[in-house]
Structure formats: structure tokens, C-alpha cells
Amino acid sequence: MKIFGIDPGLDRTGWAVVEKTAGGLKLVSAGLIHTGKEKRLERRLLEIFDAVAAELRRSAPDEVSIEEVFFSKRADTQANTTHARGVILLACFLLGYFVLVPA
């Protein structure tokens, strides 16, 4: 079973693909999506969407897991991370991956 895990962020979105084997978990691939601060928000979100969608197509995981967003300070950081998480969820949905989102 292959699992695609994502740590969302507007500036940096990290991802990894792990495979569950008889011996435990094995790292298949990992990467970082970095969007430049000089770009407009819409462009940065599109870059995240495109990169996540491309990696989902390439790795064809069995399941997808996205880190939940937790913040207590810096509302601007929370909003940007929430935007990034939204386009990641959209990419997963459009490619047919079900992501469990806590109620």
C-alpha cells in the first residue's frame, strides 16, 4: 500500500510517498513545493495545485493524508496555509482521491 502524505503551506508544501511493506514503512519519494513570495497569491496556489496533481498522477498512491492546520497565532499564516490546503484537497478530489477531513 502506498500513502501520499502532505504538509501544506503557502511558502513551502512538503510531501512524501511511503509504502507499507512486511518490514514496515519504506520511503518511496519526497519533495518540497516552494512558491516565491514575490508572486501573487493566485499564482502560488496554482503552482501548489499543479505540483500536487502531477505528483499524485506520477506516484498513484492508494491513500492520501493531509496534515490538519493548527495555529494559535499569526492569522495571516493560518489563512495562507488554509488556502494551500484547500487547493491540495481540490487536486485530490479531481483526481479521485478521498481524503478524510475531520468534522
Side-chain angles (χ1 to χ4, degrees), residues 3-8 52 56 61-68 85-103:
I3 302 166
F4 186 90
I6 308 168
D7 180 5
V52 168
L56 284 169
D62 299 302
E63 294 186 6
V64 177
S65 176
I66 302 175
E67 184 177 344
E68 188 62 61
R85 191 169 189 278
V87 298
I88 292 166
L89 287 169
L90 179 61
C92 292
F93 172 77
L94 292 176
L95 291 171
Y97 290 97
F98 174 77
V99 178
L100 181 61
V101 178

Side-chain angles (χ1 to χ4, degrees), residues 1-66:
M1 168 184 284
K2 273 198 283 187
I3 302 166
F4 186 90
I6 308 168
D7 180 5
L10 183 61
D11 190 45
R12 290 177 182 85
T13 291
W15 62 268
V17 179
V18 295
E19 189 166 7
K20 187 175 180 181
T21 65
L25 293 177
K26 176 180 99 172
L27 179 64
V28 175
S29 58
L32 182 68
I33 303 161
H34 177 68
T35 62
K37 293 180 182 182
E38 73 284 354
K39 298 176 185 171
R40 292 177 50 102
L41 174 63
E42 298 87 348
R43 171 60 53 194
R44 296 172 82 182
L45 293 173
L46 180 60
E47 287 178 13
I48 293 167
F49 176 89
D50 286 344
V52 168
E55 189 53 40
L56 284 169
R57 286 185 192 101
R58 189 190 74 69
S59 62
D62 299 302
E63 294 186 6
V64 177
S65 176
I66 302 175

